[in-house]
Amino acid sequence: MLLQVIQPGLVGLMDGSVSTLAPLFAAAFVTGKPKETFLVGLAAAVGAGISMAFSEAMSDTGELTGRGKPVRRGLITGFMTFIGGVGHSLPFIIVIGFISSRHEQLSVALVLAYFVVGIELISIAYVRFKFFKMSFWLSFLQVVVGGALVFASGVLIGSRG
């Protein structure tokens, strides 16, 4: 169960939550448009999910490592990658129905997205703590540092646009 479901799901959640930060926030700062930002985030989440599904499914047969059937692991990893990536993209489309000013839409969506990213990072740290016996705080620190580096790269690149 641990190597066949939890670990592939965790890898996907970590990849989706972190790898999609840069394109999403770069798009937010370059365009200033919530709908376009959402579309970039959705594309990043879908692309990352497909990429990670194939990568995990083709990484090994599972026979020598005990990691289970490759297609199952690939589906789990791909799905969780998509979930991790789309979570912080959703605020950019949700606010459109509630707020009329595009500037306010973007501001509110950014705050909501920051909050969702925080929940994602706490969730990742918790799974690592619960199933892999890691220190929660050390795990949280590691995930936050990785996420912060990717986030900063997206903001830096996006603010140059």
Side-chain angles (χ1 to χ4, degrees):
M1 171 82 163
L2 185 68
L3 291 177
Q4 297 173 3
V5 177
I6 304 297
Q7 190 269 341
L10 179 62
V11 166
L13 185 60
M14 287 178 9
D15 183 71
S17 296
V18 175
S19 71
T20 58
L21 291 175
L24 180 76
F25 288 105
F29 288 102
V30 166
T31 69
K33 298 177 180 177
K35 181 180 177 188
E36 287 76 357
T37 299
F38 168 74
L39 292 173
V40 168
L42 180 62
V46 169
I50 292 168
S51 173
M52 286 297 288
F54 275 95
S55 177
E56 182 63 30
M58 295 188 301
S59 65
D60 70 66
T61 64
E63 293 173 17
L64 294 175
T65 60
R67 295 179 63 220
K69 299 189 182 305
V71 172
R72 180 177 177 205
R73 282 193 340 265
L75 289 172
I76 292 167
T77 303
F79 177 73
M80 291 305 291
T81 301
F82 172 76
I83 293 299
V86 80
H88 48 261
S89 301
L90 289 174
F92 292 93
I93 198 71
I94 292 171
V95 297
I96 292 173
F98 296 101
I99 302 170
S100 58
S101 162
R102 187 171 16 164
H103 178 70
E104 287 181 39
Q105 289 173 349
L106 185 66
S107 296
V108 171
L110 283 168
V111 169
L112 291 173
Y114 300 149
F115 180 73
V116 171
V117 169
I119 290 172
E120 291 168 351
L121 298 180
I122 290 168
S123 299
I124 291 166
Y126 179 76
V127 170
R128 293 178 78 203
F129 163 75
K130 177 156 177 70
F131 293 100
F132 296 97
K133 310 298 182 218
M134 299 188 72
S135 160
F136 176 82
W137 294 110
L138 178 60
S139 179
F140 183 72
L141 179 66
Q142 292 170 339
V143 173
V144 167
V145 167
L149 290 171
V150 175
F151 172 77
S153 69
V155 170
L156 182 65
I157 292 166
S159 65
R160 302 281 184 227

